[in-house]
Amino acid sequence: MEMPEQPRSRRQTRAAILTHLLQSGGSFRPPLAKAVRLSEASLSRILFDLKAEGLIEEIRRPAPYVGGPTGLVSLDGAIALAGLELTSQHLSVGVGGLAGELHYSERVPLPKQPTPESVGRVFREASTLLRESTRQRRIRLAQIGVTIPGLGRLSVSGNPIIPCDVERIGEMFAELFPEVPVAFTNSVVAHATFHRCRTDNYPFSDAHLFVFVGQGVAGTWMDDPSEGDALQPVELGHMVFEPGGPRCRCGHHGCVEAYTSLPALAELLCTTEAELVQLGSEWVTTIPLTSRVRRELRQRLFRLGLAIGNTLNVKPCRGVVISGWPSLLAENDRRAVIDGIDACLLGGRKSAQVSLAFVPPSNGNDPQAALAFAAFCLARSGGMPAASTEAA
């Protein structure tokens, strides 16, 4: 016998509608009602409120079938969001819309040897630029999203990749944007959100593990986006495979990140991380791979697979998405990742029923990931202020 479904608050119901529209890009009313488990009458009442608040719009579109609905519900394109994305070279800041369009962006370079104080000054410069540009354009921001590589869940001030004091940066945003909600997250969460909401034909709709291989190596558990713990970062890149191996930015030696991150890849290819980022997806055809380098690359990818397999042994799930430079390689090279996963999982992927998918890397297009995270935060809040009451 199935347990009766728990009643949802008004915020949760609105969040379910908005997150579905964010991920789908728009929906007619009947399938939308089915997706969020509401009657069409209840859905109509909530859509009336969301439309009155300027969060959604409904435009005429050809019916999907004879006699079908002609009103397509989507998020309102007039809503403005801001994203700030910290990378190893710069802090990018931009303003965009809920559908993913980028209105404008700017980049503030980081010093060659960043400190919490100097990174704080870069954040102040970028946020001041944001405040002045939105005032000049008369843009009212609905949400700000900030992404920081390596940001941990246990301590917002500790950061092993780029030193910065998140608590003080948060106070600065409260000073400059007192009426705008601001959310901070680990970069992997932002890139996972970007792919889930912006990638056509994203491979999974249910719970899965998203792995991002970029400046660092990390993962995040992805679940129902309307839940509070829908995105939980996992620092799987800091599993130690060889204590005497290369030094990792976390301070240990022989972590999987020390072998498979972009800096590690650049060193193997005798180039720089900045050059790889600039080449983007073209590096696989621009930089020749000798047989020795290809063998080493596959060995490192096997270790990445081991780290993913170990993670799945701790918390099993049936889907894994990998984004980053490994997704650019030929299938024969990527096979090493699958072999590593199979070497870890009890019985291999077939027995554990794990599906693996590769999606294109999203690094280098900042601040798009931060903007996608801002859109996700706005949708998950139901478009309601944090202090508002939640009538059931």
Side-chain angles (χ1 to χ4, degrees):
M1 180 178 177
E2 291 188 4
M3 295 293 291
E5 211 171 281
Q6 293 296 316
R8 292 179 291 178
S9 69
R10 179 167 170 256
R11 181 189 296 274
Q12 290 172 325
T13 304
R14 288 163 57 108
I17 294 171
L18 294 176
T19 52
H20 182 79
L21 294 176
L22 178 65
Q23 294 181 343
S24 65
S27 176
F28 292 98
R29 290 194 179 206
L32 177 58
K34 182 178 180 180
V36 297
R37 306 189 307 276
L38 288 173
S39 67
E40 290 194 39
S42 297
L43 176 67
S44 294
R45 287 193 294 270
I46 299 172
L47 292 183
F48 179 84
D49 291 340
L50 295 174
K51 194 181 299 183
E53 296 169 24
L55 291 168
I56 65 167
E57 57 185 356
E58 194 166 7
I59 57 178
R60 290 286 180 182
R61 285 286 174 87
Y65 48 86
V66 176
T70 57
L72 182 72
V73 182
S74 61
L75 298 172
D76 197 312
I79 296 174
L81 312 165
L84 291 95
E85 195 163 334
L86 185 62
T87 71
S88 59
Q89 291 87 29
H90 54 256
L91 174 65
S92 62
V93 54
V95 173
L98 279 173
E101 66 277 16
L102 179 64
H103 300 326
Y104 66 91
S105 65
E106 298 185 61
R107 288 179 172 178
V108 181
L110 285 184
K112 290 185 178 181
Q113 295 184 329
T115 64
E117 292 74 21
S118 63
V119 174
R121 289 192 292 270
V122 169
F123 264 99
R124 179 165 287 277
E125 180 180 349
S127 56
T128 302
L129 285 172
L130 176 63
R131 184 179 65 173
E132 296 307 314
S133 62
T134 51
R135 282 180 176 178
Q136 290 173 4
R137 293 174 170 87
R138 297 182 179 179
I139 295 174
R140 182 180 178 184
L141 296 175
Q143 176 76 48
I144 297 175
V146 185
T147 72
I148 296 177
L151 183 65
R153 285 180 290 166
L154 300 180
S155 173
V156 295
S157 59
N159 180 21
I161 296 181
I162 300 176
C164 58
D165 190 328
V166 178
E167 186 174 356
R168 295 187 66 177
I169 293 171
E171 293 170 353
M172 178 198 66
F173 276 108
E175 169 197 335
L176 296 176
F177 300 92
E179 297 181 357
V180 184
V182 181
F184 290 78
T185 193
N186 189 307
S187 295
V188 67
V189 170
H191 284 277
T193 306
F194 173 83
H195 281 287
R196 183 64 186 88
C197 300
R198 304 285 185 244
T199 301
D200 293 334
N201 302 316
Y202 186 77
F204 300 113
S205 58
D206 52 358
H208 61 280
L209 175 67
F210 179 93
V211 178
F212 180 66
V213 187
Q215 186 184 359
V217 179
T220 183
W221 299 109
M222 300 191 71
D223 210 331
D224 184 346
S226 63
E227 299 295 331
D229 58 350
L231 296 166
Q232 292 292 331
V234 185
E235 289 291 350
L236 57 87
H238 296 300
M239 293 185 189
V240 176
F241 284 100
E242 195 173 343
R247 183 176 175 84
C248 181
R249 284 176 289 193
C250 70
H252 294 274
H253 290 264
C255 298
V256 67
E257 181 174 303
Y259 292 102
T260 59
S261 64
L262 268 180
L265 175 65
E267 184 178 359
L268 176 63
L269 300 179
C270 299
T271 184
T272 64
E273 179 187 357
E275 178 68 15
L276 282 182
V277 172
Q278 185 176 0
L279 287 172
S281 60
E282 300 299 322
W283 74 263
V284 291
T285 54
T286 304
I287 302 177
L289 298 180
T290 65
S291 57
R292 181 195 67 81
V293 169
R294 194 177 293 275
R295 285 195 302 271
E296 175 65 21
L297 203 59
R298 289 179 178 178
Q299 185 178 10
R300 295 185 181 197
L301 290 172
F302 182 82
R303 283 180 171 150
L304 174 65
L306 285 176
I308 295 172
N310 282 328
T311 304
L312 294 178
N313 278 336
V314 173
K315 183 178 179 180
C317 70
R318 295 190 175 184
V320 178
V321 172
I322 298 176
S323 175
W325 66 263
S327 62
L328 300 172
L329 299 176
E331 186 176 351
N332 286 341
D333 295 318
R334 295 194 315 212
R335 178 71 206 182
V337 180
I338 299 172
D339 291 341
I341 295 175
D342 286 349
C344 265
L345 286 172
L346 300 177
R349 286 176 306 111
K350 185 176 180 180
S351 176
Q353 296 181 329
V354 176
S355 298
L356 181 66
F358 289 87
V359 296
S362 49
N363 50 316
N365 69 349
D366 45 297
Q368 288 285 8
L371 286 170
F373 175 69
F376 173 80
C377 290
L378 178 65
R380 189 171 59 176
S381 71
M384 299 170 65
S388 64
T389 56
E390 298 184 11

